[in-house]
C-alpha cells in the first residue's frame, strides 16, 4: 500500500456523499489501520476570533489575522480543533507531518494564532475526516477521489472557495469530462 500522507484528496463530481461534494482533504495519516485527514475548503460559519472567544472567555484578540475563517475539517469529532500549520515547535500536542507542515490539537496554540508569535501560516479546523482500514482505497477505486501531492501554496495561500478548482487544475485534466468509469479498462 502506497501511503497518501501529505497528499490531497480531491472529490470528483461522482462523489456520492454530500458532505464531501467538491472538497479538498489534506491527508495527515494513511496506513494499514486507516486514514485521517482535514477538509481544507469548507467554512463552519465563524472566524478565529469567535472561536478563541468561545474557548477562552478572557482572551483579547486584536490582530487582523484573527479574522481568519474556521473550517469544517470533517464529520468526525466536530467539537475538536485541529490546527494545520507551517512548522513551529513548542506546542503541547503537535505531530510533525513533513519538514514544513505540522498539526496541533492543543489549545495553547490558539492564543498566538492571531498574532506574530504564531506559525507563519495556519488553517484552523473543527473535526476531521476518517476512514477505516481499506475504506479509502475502496473509494479511490470507485472514482470518488483523485489525489495529488500537497503543496504549501494550495494548503495555505489559495482562498477556500478556489481550492477545489485549483487542485483540479493541478491535475491537468477537465474534471467535468470524467465519466464514472474513469480508470477502469
Amino acid at each position: 500500500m502506497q501511503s497518501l500522507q501529505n497528499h490531497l484528496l480531491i472529490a470528483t463530481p461522482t462523489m456520492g456523499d454530500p458532505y464531501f461534494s467538491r472538497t479538498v482533504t489534506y491527508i495527515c495519516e494513511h496506513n494499514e489501520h486507516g486514514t485521517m485527514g482535514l477538509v481544507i475548503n469548507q467554512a463552519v460559519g465563524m472566524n478565529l476570533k469567535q472561536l478563541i472567544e468561545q474557548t477562552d472567555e478572557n482572551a483579547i484578540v486584536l490582530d487582523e489575522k484573527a479574522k481568519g475563517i474556521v473550517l469544517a475539517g470533517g464529520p468526525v469529532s466536530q467539537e475538536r480543533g485541529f490546527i494545520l500549520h507551517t512548522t513551529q515547535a513548542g506546542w503541547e500536542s503537535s505531530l510533525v507531518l513533513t519538514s514544513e507542515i505540522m498539526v496541533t490539537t492543543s489549545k495553547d496554540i490558539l492564543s498566538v494564532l492571531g498574532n506574530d508569535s504564531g506559525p507563519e501560516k495556519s488553517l484552523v479546523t473543527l473535526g476531521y475526516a476518517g476512514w477505516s482500514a481499506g475504506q479509502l482505497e475502496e473509494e479511490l477505486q470507485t472514482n470518488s477521489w483523485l489525489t495529488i501531492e500537497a503543496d504549501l501554496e494550495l494548503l495555505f495561500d489559495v482562498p477556500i472557495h478556489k481550492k477545489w478548482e485549483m487542485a483540479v487544475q493541478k491535475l491537468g485534466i477537465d474534471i467535468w469530462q470524467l465519466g464514472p468509469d474513469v480508470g477502469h479498462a
Side-chain angles (χ1 to χ4, degrees):
M1 173 184 76
Q2 177 188 348
S3 176
L4 293 174
Q5 183 170 325
N6 194 43
H7 280 72
L8 297 174
L9 292 180
I10 304 163
T12 64
T14 61
M15 169 57 73
D17 185 337
Y19 187 92
F20 291 103
S21 178
R22 292 179 64 116
T23 59
V24 178
T25 304
Y26 177 80
I27 300 300
C28 299
E29 185 174 54
H30 180 231
N31 57 38
E32 67 276 1
H33 304 292
T35 307
M36 183 264 184
L38 299 171
V39 176
I40 62 168
N41 67 327
Q42 286 187 347
V44 295
M46 79 169 66
N47 64 30
L48 181 57
K49 179 180 179 183
Q50 293 165 322
L51 177 65
I52 292 170
E53 289 170 349
Q54 281 184 12
T55 59
D56 183 0
E57 60 197 36
N58 298 320
I60 299 173
V61 182
L62 302 173
D63 197 299
E64 284 296 308
K65 288 182 183 178
K67 292 184 179 175
I69 297 169
V70 176
L71 303 172
V76 182
S77 296
Q78 294 179 331
E79 72 286 350
R80 289 191 58 205
F82 297 85
I83 297 87
L84 191 65
H85 59 91
T86 50
T87 306
Q88 185 186 47
W91 309 113
E92 286 181 29
S93 183
S94 294
L95 178 62
V96 175
L97 302 174
T98 73
S99 61
E100 299 177 301
I101 302 170
M102 299 177 76
V103 65
T104 297
T105 57
S106 54
K107 284 176 36 174
D108 60 336
I109 195 172
L110 287 178
S111 64
V112 298
L113 285 181
N115 64 51
D116 290 334
S117 299
E120 183 182 340
K121 298 179 181 192
S122 63
L123 295 174
V124 178
T125 71
L126 294 176
Y128 69 94
W131 292 264
S132 60
Q135 183 182 2
L136 179 58
E137 290 77 7
E138 289 176 20
E139 291 180 18
L140 287 164
Q141 288 181 343
T142 61
N143 300 313
S144 295
W145 303 102
L146 297 171
T147 63
I148 60 171
E149 193 167 340
D151 67 64
L152 293 179
E153 177 189 9
L154 192 52
L155 277 176
F156 299 114
D157 298 332
V158 174
I160 66 166
H161 66 283
K162 293 195 177 263
K163 285 185 192 279
W164 186 81
E165 181 182 323
M166 293 296 291
V168 168
Q169 286 178 3
K170 286 185 178 267
L171 287 169
I173 61 172
D174 181 355
I175 200 161
W176 300 107
Q177 298 287 325
L178 296 179
D181 296 326
V182 68
H184 299 284

